[in-house]
Amino acid sequence: MKLTLSWLKEHLETEASLDEICERLTMIGLEVEHVDDKSALKPFVIAKVLTAEKHPDADKLRVLSVDTGDGKPVQVVCGAPNARAGLIGAFAAPGTYVPGIDVTLSVGRIRGVESHGMMCSERELMLSDEHDGIIDLPADAPVGQSFASWAKLDDPVIEINLTPNRPDATGVHGIARDLAAAGLGTLKSGAVEPVGGASECPVKVTIEAPDLCPGFALRLVRGVRNGASPKWMQQRLMAIGLRPINALVDITNYITFDRGRPLHVFDAAKVKGDLTVRRAREGETVLALDGREYTLSSETCVIADENGVESIAGIMGGEHSGCDANTTDVLIESALWNPLAIARTGRELGIVTDARYRFERGVDPEFMGAGLDLATRMVLEICGGEASREEITGYRGHHDKTISFPIAEVKRLTGLDVPRETIVDILNRLGFMTRGEGEVLDVTVPSWRPDVEGKADLVEEVMRIHGVEKIAPQPMTSDEAVSGKILTTLQLRTRAARRALGVRGMMEAVTWSFIPAKHAELFGGGQASLKLANPIAADMSDMRPSLLPGLLAAAQRNADRGFADVALFEVSGTYEGDRAGEQRRVAAGVRRGTARMEGSGRAWSGNAPSVGVFDAKADALAALEACGAPVDKLQVEAGGPAWYHPGRSGTIKLGPKVVLATFGEFHPRTLEALDVSGPLCGFEVFVDAVPEPKAKPTRTKPRLDLSPFQAVRRDFAFVVDRGVEAGTVTRAALGADKKLITGVSVFDVFEGTSLGEGKKSVAIEVSIQPVDKTLTDEDFEALAGRIVDNVRKQTGGVLRG
């Protein structure tokens, strides 16, 4: 929301400075985001051309002698066609920054003649697009005076960052009301006198969608002259970034910002028959004022006549019935629209307008008729004509909202000790009506404040006007005892999983919690309890049963833009139903192309290997270890959910029933259904399934199991059946002597014809830690024998020769 200082003072009598106004606006919740004090125009002065001689070496240039007011004429070379002796315009001396051409002037030489500054056009001062000639001021313009001050262009522009709950502050009058309530002046009356009419409005209005349009006011004005709007209006509109178009359009734009009341004007000659407010027919189109054709849905509210759609209600008018220089009869519309419907239509069509900005927040319903009267008066004053009586359809009046407000709530919620009289005075100045003599007030909410719903809202109004800065700071209390942990186990695990996956070279992604129904069914979802009643888009209809669809889609988007090798992860929630307890915390990730963990393998031939099932397994184990899972006790089984490749996937369990993770390469059918391509593997770790850690002793006890003897490693290779899992071999070796053997890991798996049909070799490394004594060769031989016997009994494997 932008406004100028002079515009504000048309509604507020105040002697406050610009700095005081900006500071108070921020303190009462209307945060000032930027102030343009027009300092760029201050160096320009009014100057008079004394002489204008033809340039000796250029037919289109003139050499001017310019009086800048100090009695010392300066020489200026100018190419403007209207440059002549006696002309009074805006002069820029050397060293002046000219915003329209983004140049800082210096003394120059043009075709051999020195030029000490320039006479400026309106475009060079960013006053308009006019650049055919230099500014031509009236003969009484004071030479030597500041041009910006004389032309009233030094009016500071204040930009306010409004929160969505303040529709009343989308107009200058509403902002002035807040400042007056905060003690920074007196609010001028904003009352609008009704406009009578000599005849009835010949155009009638029918509302077929009362849920979308609670009220509609219309008036015909005949015999208007639609030329340029007054200079003061153009200057204000340009100051806030709007381009003046013509008087009729400028009046509606001006009232939109002045009172927060959007309006629309139709060229009555282009409207056929009466107007109807209805839902658009599916596929119906309209050519809007921005020159684009929009295809409408059955949820779009439109204003139509016998020709078809003439306006997208509350958002943008149609090109066909727009006003131009030939308009003589005009229909002025002031209507009320359903805020949610306006927001939905604007989002669907991708249209952002000042009207939509206000209607989707909620305009003052009681100002609908007054807004029509205000617009009519301005049209009659600026464009002339004769007005008909107003035609009001559908409006049933505003139903006042009354809140029972205990005064003690102010102290309870804010800590501010505000006297009762001050509370009543603040609310009354803001437009609220208060009744009651005791400690409980009946407060009636004004029609322009749809955001005020209950007691807490009234407390906020009192607090922001009384002064947030008056809330005394309170030191945080510190208990003498040591505080317990603040984060829950799940929060700690979430952070640990993110850190572990980030260390492994993966980038964190944040994906939508909503996915298409087909994708949900593909990953075990699709049940009715996961479908959204009001999805924000057709392809976001179901709550996600898995994080993998979103991550796969993100990986494909990166690949489409040239980043084929990506590793993404996310730690967030998935959904199994709509009841409490049916949401899970999951750490998931995908790798694409050659985005393997650095150091997991080297491509000596020059071709980097693609990601595979073991990359996903390593990621899953790393996340589980970070979450505190007992990695040494986990079981890895072949095969996983249906979205993985059946021969290149696995499931990580703790015992026979507790599933902690799944991983693998994705099934080609899954990738095809998701429209995803490339080598891809992924995993999901169920963070909330990891068992709680055992309680640690309150006192640290010394470790007595540390051995002073050197650890030893021995390698074994066993020939087993191809179907025997490597994990079975490692567990068998580990069970040979749980006191001496501290670890077993696989470092090679080999298959070949030399081993026999259906056989493979699994090579393991066994870590041995002597505890009581240094082991002799005989001790090692005995331990090796037990390892070989254990593996043979449990797997049928034999030591490879």
Side-chain angles (χ1 to χ4, degrees), residues 2-11 38 151-153 155 157 172 229-244 253-254 257-258 378:
K2 290 183 178 181
L3 68 156
T4 66
L5 183 61
S6 66
W7 197 345
L8 176 66
K9 290 186 176 181
E10 277 203 0
H11 295 277
K38 297 295 182 181
K152 294 183 172 52
L153 297 175
D155 195 6
V157 178
V172 180
S229 58
K231 195 70 174 179
W232 64 267
M233 183 178 288
Q234 293 187 37
Q235 289 174 345
R236 285 188 178 172
L237 294 177
M238 287 189 295
I240 62 173
L242 295 182
R243 180 175 61 86
N253 287 337
Y254 181 80
F257 280 83
D258 188 65
M378 296 188 75

Side-chain angles (χ1 to χ4, degrees), residues 209-233:
D211 56 323
L212 302 182
C213 178
F216 197 103
L218 188 71
R219 173 179 277 127
L220 174 69
V221 182
R222 290 187 174 92
V224 300
R225 297 179 301 278
N226 188 23
S229 58
K231 195 70 174 179
W232 64 267
M233 183 178 288

Side-chain angles (χ1 to χ4, degrees), residues 556-566:
Q556 186 62 41
R557 284 194 296 271
N558 278 273
D560 293 342
R561 289 160 177 77
F563 301 96
D565 303 323
V566 292

Side-chain angles (χ1 to χ4, degrees), residues 6-247:
S6 66
W7 197 345
L8 176 66
K9 290 186 176 181
E10 277 203 0
H11 295 277
L12 182 71
E13 290 183 4
T14 181
E15 297 298 326
S17 67
L18 176 63
D19 291 339
E20 290 173 332
I21 290 173
C22 292
E23 182 180 2
R24 188 62 58 88
L25 283 170
T26 298
M27 294 306 296
I28 62 177
L30 304 177
E31 182 184 1
V32 175
E33 195 167 65
H34 178 70
V35 177
D36 182 2
D37 61 1
K38 297 295 182 181
S39 57
L41 297 180
K42 291 180 180 178
F44 297 89
V45 298
I46 298 175
K48 182 176 182 179
V49 178
L50 301 176
T51 62
E53 305 294 338
K54 180 179 175 300
H55 193 287
D57 294 325
D59 292 337
K60 294 184 178 182
L61 296 179
R62 289 177 175 83
V63 180
L64 311 181
S65 175
V66 179
D67 177 13
T68 61
D70 60 0
K72 300 177 181 179
V74 296
Q75 179 173 282
V76 175
V77 177
C78 181
N82 65 333
R84 66 186 187 279
L87 180 143
I88 299 177
F91 171 76
T96 302
Y97 173 73
V98 183
I101 56 176
D102 192 24
V103 168
T104 299
L105 298 179
S106 60
V107 177
R109 184 175 290 275
I110 302 175
R111 294 287 186 94
V113 177
E114 277 194 351
S115 181
H116 296 262
M118 69 182 296
M119 298 294 289
C120 302
S121 68
E122 289 192 359
R123 188 173 73 172
E124 287 159 347
L125 268 62
M126 298 185 70
L127 302 180
S128 72
D129 293 332
E130 179 63 41
H131 64 284
D132 291 336
I134 56 179
I135 296 173
D136 192 348
L137 300 179
D140 59 351
V143 175
Q145 185 176 326
S146 167
F147 169 73
S149 177
W150 176 83
K152 294 183 172 52
L153 297 175
D154 56 350
D155 195 6
V157 178
I158 305 169
E159 183 175 0
I160 298 172
N161 185 11
L162 284 183
T163 53
N165 67 319
R166 292 301 306 277
D168 60 302
T170 59
V172 180
H173 185 77
I175 295 171
R177 182 194 298 114
D178 264 21
L179 286 171
L184 214 63
T186 303
L187 180 67
K188 297 181 182 180
S189 174
V192 180
E193 290 189 15
V195 176
S199 61
E200 288 190 3
C201 180
V203 179
K204 304 301 178 183
V205 179
T206 303
I207 300 178
E208 295 182 357
D211 56 323
L212 302 182
C213 178
F216 197 103
L218 188 71
R219 173 179 277 127
L220 174 69
V221 182
R222 290 187 174 92
V224 300
R225 297 179 301 278
N226 188 23
S229 58
K231 195 70 174 179
W232 64 267
M233 183 178 288
Q234 293 187 37
Q235 289 174 345
R236 285 188 178 172
L237 294 177
M238 287 189 295
I240 62 173
L242 295 182
R243 180 175 61 86
I245 300 174
N246 56 55

Side-chain angles (χ1 to χ4, degrees), residues 400-411:
D400 291 336
K401 184 191 311 175
T402 301
I403 300 170
S404 180
F405 179 46
I407 291 175
E409 287 292 284
V410 175
K411 174 73 172 178

Side-chain angles (χ1 to χ4, degrees), residues 579-600:
R579 294 192 297 251
E582 293 184 323
Q583 178 177 343
R584 304 202 66 178
R585 180 58 56 90
V586 179
V590 297
R591 291 183 183 270
R592 189 186 189 282
T594 61
R596 307 181 70 203
M597 173 68 180
E598 187 176 349
S600 61

Side-chain angles (χ1 to χ4, degrees), residues 22 39 131 277 310 334 363 410 424 460 485 533 731:
C22 292
S39 57
H131 64 284
V277 180
E310 295 291 358
S334 177
V363 301
V410 175
V424 172
E460 181 180 351
K485 69 175 185 178
R731 286 194 295 273

